[in-house]
Amino acid sequence: MTHGADIGTHPDIMQMRARYEAAAANPAAQLADGLTLLSGLYLALSPWIVGFSGTRTPLAVNNLITGLAVALLAMGYSSAFGRTYGISWVAPLLGIWTIIAPWVIRGGMATTATIISNVVVGALILLFGLATMRFGMMERRQPGGFRTTGSAHMGPAR
């Protein structure tokens, strides 16, 4: 018995992709992804916005790299949620790291402004990351998932 080589046309795969596309089209998911992107961009630019004591300090470099990573994750969540939902746990971890980084990184010479900036943006990244995780977990838990219009195979709308 021979099977087609293209698994992408399998009905289960197509149904799963439709569910994740519907989850990504959810306005709340789009809002969370957009705010995560903005938070990541702010974190990357924070050494220049807040005025760190030097833009080559370890904390400034950390914020630049971590902020770019968060922004790239957010772009992945918004453009290919079905392929990136499995790593949605990374954004909340980066939010926690951002909160504790001023105290953990040696030689950062954290000031009150840099600590407040990191704690606030870290908390926002944590919250938005948890929201993104929630959308991915809803897809795993609910057999019917989000219902898309015109799809008879999606199960009941929730």
Side-chain angles (χ1 to χ4, degrees), residues 21-45:
E21 286 175 17
N26 182 337
Q30 291 174 345
L31 179 65
D33 295 340
L35 292 174
T36 303
L37 175 67
L38 291 176
S39 298
L41 291 176
Y42 171 80
L43 181 61
L45 297 173

Side-chain angles (χ1 to χ4, degrees), residues 107-134:
M109 301 180 63
T111 64
T112 303
T114 59
I115 291 171
I116 290 172
S117 175
N118 269 43
V119 168
V120 170
V121 77
L124 290 173
I125 292 169
L126 173 64
L127 291 174
F128 300 142
L130 289 173
T132 300
M133 276 182 60
R134 181 178 152 254

Side-chain angles (χ1 to χ4, degrees), residues 70-83:
V70 169
L72 288 173
L73 281 171
M75 288 191 310
Y77 298 152
S78 65
S79 65
F81 186 72
R83 293 186 178 142

Side-chain angles (χ1 to χ4, degrees), residues 23-104:
N26 182 337
Q30 291 174 345
L31 179 65
D33 295 340
L35 292 174
T36 303
L37 175 67
L38 291 176
S39 298
L41 291 176
Y42 171 80
L43 181 61
L45 297 173
S46 65
W48 296 274
I49 294 172
V50 176
F52 284 31
S53 59
T55 56
R56 294 188 186 207
T57 64
L59 184 60
V61 172
N62 172 74
N63 281 9
L64 175 65
I65 293 169
T66 305
L68 291 175
V70 169
L72 288 173
L73 281 171
M75 288 191 310
Y77 298 152
S78 65
S79 65
F81 186 72
R83 293 186 178 142
T84 59
Y85 78 92
I87 60 169
S88 61
W89 55 271
V90 175
L93 286 181
L94 289 175
I96 292 169
W97 170 250
T98 300
I99 293 170
I100 65 170
W103 294 282
V104 174

Side-chain angles (χ1 to χ4, degrees), residues 132-155:
T132 300
M133 276 182 60
R134 181 178 152 254
F135 292 112
M137 292 173 82
M138 280 191 333
E139 282 302 307
R140 286 186 189 171
R141 265 187 280 150
Q142 297 176 0
F146 292 94
R147 186 180 183 123
T148 58
T149 56
S151 178
H153 301 301
M154 289 291 134

